[in-house]
């Protein structure tokens, strides 16, 4: 049997639930919201980890859920006339999850060996399920505690940590994730609180991007759609090998808005902009943090948002 060992582990966090994962595992699927959702992490060949969560509404009876889950596995195996082995509460792993309650752990084997953790998090009143998959000829004993024992959760109402690929950041209290982009070389997270928006972006290949154009030129070109109703002023500074671009913007006049090739009834919200764009040449990345707001009393603290955005090296 092959011992599965990874040299590097990095943080992964989504909707306040986090754990450490091998750096080779990347998001293959992300769906749902804070009260219910699912993430699948893949390596280059197979799905390796599935993380699910759902609002418990005070019902922390994890054992009964596991009972029903195993019954469902048995029914499916019988229908497919396949072999199923289930080992409940195996002693092979030393779990250490002091912030979780009613933790259940079991292993089932069919086409793959699936190590399953089910637990209740009092921090957010959510049920959390983690499945780690291995081939039947793989030994995951070295991997399991390094992943499962790093499970952490965040109470609602406070800042949430988000970590994926090579970026880690925080969203402020009461901001909700509206949408996100996971494209080749580009991570984009969009948060909303009332009429205020916070956008956080990470771009790879900074040296290639800036080989033919300046940072301010690239920024205006890439975010043309977001900026088309805003008049911006920029200030650029060089800090060692890195470049920092500060952006401030205010809505264009109504008359300028009328000149846009848009129907009159499709007027965009009149918002101000505060933004910062900077390079991290050590990791070859560009980071962009932008806040869009209507009134000065609701203007977000841009410095506070930027300081929590870093590259995972």
């Amino acid at each position: 049997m092959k011992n599965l060992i990874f040299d590097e582990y990095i943080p992964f966090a989504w909707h306040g639930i986090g754990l450490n994962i091998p750096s080779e595992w990347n998001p293959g699927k992300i769906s749902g919201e804070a009260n219910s959702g699912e993430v699948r992490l893949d390596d280059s060949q197979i799905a390796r980890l599935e993380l699910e969560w759902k609002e418990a509404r005070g019902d922390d009876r994890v054992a009964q859920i596991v009972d029903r889950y195993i019954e469902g596995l048995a029914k499916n195996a019988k229908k497919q006339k396949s072999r199923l082995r289930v080992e409940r509460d195996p002693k092979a792993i030393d779990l250490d999850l002091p912030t979780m309650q009613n933790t259940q752990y079991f292993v089932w084997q069919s086409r793959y060996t699936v190590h399953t953790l089910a637990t209740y998090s009092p921090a957010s009143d959510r049920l959390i399920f983690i499945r780690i998959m291995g081939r039947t000829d793989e030994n995951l004993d070295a991997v399991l505690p390094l992943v499962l024992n790093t499970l952490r959760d965040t109470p609602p109402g406070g800042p949430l940590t988000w970590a994926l690929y090579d970026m880690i950041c925080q969203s402020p209290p009461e901001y909700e994730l509206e949408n996100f982009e996971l494209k080749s070389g580009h991570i984009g997270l969009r948060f909303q609180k009332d009429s205020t928006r916070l956008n956080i972006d990470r771009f790879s290949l900074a040296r290639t991007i800036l080989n033919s154009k300046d940072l301010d030129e690239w920024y205006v070109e890439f975010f043309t759609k977001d900026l088309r109703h805003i008049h911006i002023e920029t200030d650029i500074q060089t800090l060692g090998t890195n470049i920092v671009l500060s952006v401030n913007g205010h809505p264009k006049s109504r008359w300028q808005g009328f000149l846009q090739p848009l129907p009159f009834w499709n007027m965009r919200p009149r918002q101000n902009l505060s933004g910062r764009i900077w390079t991290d040449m050590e990791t070859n990345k560009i980071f962009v943090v932008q806040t869009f707001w209507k009134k000065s009393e609701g203007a977000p603290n841009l410095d506070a948002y930027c300081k929590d955005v870093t590259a995972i090296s």
Side-chain angles (χ1 to χ4, degrees):
M1 182 170 286
K2 176 185 176 182
N3 292 323
L4 205 60
I5 298 175
F6 298 96
D7 295 328
E8 183 183 13
Y9 286 75
I10 60 174
F12 175 86
W14 199 255
H15 280 298
I17 301 174
L19 39 74
N20 292 347
I21 61 170
S23 58
E24 290 92 337
W25 297 2
N26 291 309
K29 174 185 177 182
I30 298 180
S31 62
E33 300 176 347
N35 60 350
S36 178
E38 176 185 0
V39 170
R40 192 190 75 231
L41 303 175
D42 305 338
D43 66 9
S44 60
Q45 296 180 331
I46 67 170
R48 282 296 183 182
L49 185 148
E50 292 178 342
L51 167 66
E52 291 185 54
W53 62 92
K54 67 176 182 178
E55 189 178 23
R57 298 181 181 179
D59 187 354
D60 61 356
R61 295 175 296 175
V62 179
Q64 289 88 333
I65 294 175
V66 172
D67 290 340
R68 293 196 296 269
Y69 183 82
I70 293 176
E71 289 175 2
L73 290 175
K75 290 180 180 178
N76 288 338
K78 186 175 181 180
K79 288 180 181 178
Q80 298 174 8
K81 297 181 180 180
S82 61
R83 183 182 178 186
L84 174 69
R85 291 176 52 197
V86 178
E87 184 181 359
R88 191 86 175 257
D89 296 325
K91 305 298 182 182
I93 180 173
D94 185 16
L95 287 174
D96 181 19
L97 296 168
T99 62
M100 301 294 164
Q101 294 179 2
N102 304 335
T103 299
Q104 296 280 312
Y105 177 71
F106 62 99
V107 179
W108 58 277
Q109 188 177 83
S110 183
R111 182 181 176 187
Y112 295 98
T113 301
V114 184
H115 302 261
T116 306
L117 174 77
T119 191
Y120 171 74
S121 171
S124 64
D125 187 33
R126 289 185 290 194
L127 297 165
I128 299 174
F129 309 92
I130 301 175
R131 291 183 289 274
I132 298 178
M133 280 74 76
R135 298 180 179 86
T136 55
D137 62 346
E138 291 177 332
N139 182 355
L140 276 68
D141 287 353
V143 176
L144 296 170
L146 296 178
V147 175
L148 297 178
N149 284 340
T150 62
L151 176 63
R152 52 200 178 271
D153 194 16
T154 308
L160 296 183
T161 298
W162 305 77
L164 68 165
Y165 294 110
D166 49 14
M167 183 185 79
I168 185 167
C169 65
Q170 281 196 335
S171 61
E174 301 179 3
Y175 277 69
E176 296 184 358
L177 181 69
E178 288 296 309
N179 55 66
F180 59 90
E181 299 178 49
L182 301 179
K183 298 179 180 178
S184 178
H186 177 206
I187 301 171
L189 303 178
R190 309 287 178 256
F191 302 98
Q192 184 93 21
K193 177 188 176 183
D194 300 327
S195 60
T196 302
R197 287 190 291 133
L198 168 64
N199 295 354
I200 299 176
D201 294 87
R202 188 278 287 152
F203 297 86
S204 298
L205 303 176
R207 297 186 189 93
T208 302
I209 291 173
L210 301 179
N211 185 49
S212 58
K213 59 188 66 177
D214 294 333
L215 183 63
D216 52 349
E217 179 186 2
W218 167 83
Y219 165 73
V220 171
E221 287 183 4
F222 191 91
F223 292 98
T224 293
K225 186 176 180 180
D226 293 321
L227 302 176
R228 59 185 172 179
H229 297 285
I230 300 176
H231 174 75
I232 66 169
E233 297 177 353
T234 62
D235 177 70
I236 195 163
Q237 295 180 333
T238 301
L239 300 176
T241 60
N242 292 315
I243 305 169
V244 179
L245 176 68
S246 297
V247 180
N248 289 291
H250 58 269
K252 292 180 178 178
S253 69
R254 289 294 188 187
W255 175 249
Q256 287 176 298
F258 290 150
L259 297 178
Q260 298 291 326
L262 294 168
F264 289 112
W265 56 82
N266 194 24
M267 295 298 295
R268 295 293 189 270
R270 292 171 56 79
Q271 289 189 309
N272 299 283
L273 163 66
S274 299
R276 189 164 300 147
I277 303 91
W278 70 95
T279 63
D280 184 338
M281 289 307 183
E282 183 178 352
T283 59
N284 199 22
K285 302 290 188 297
I286 297 175
F287 294 96
V288 181
V289 178
Q290 300 175 93
T291 60
F292 298 86
W293 43 277
K294 292 186 66 174
K295 298 181 180 180
S296 57
E297 56 267 28
N301 186 339
L302 183 65
D303 290 336
Y305 298 164
C306 292
K307 72 179 179 63
D308 293 319
V309 180
T310 57
I312 302 172
S313 55

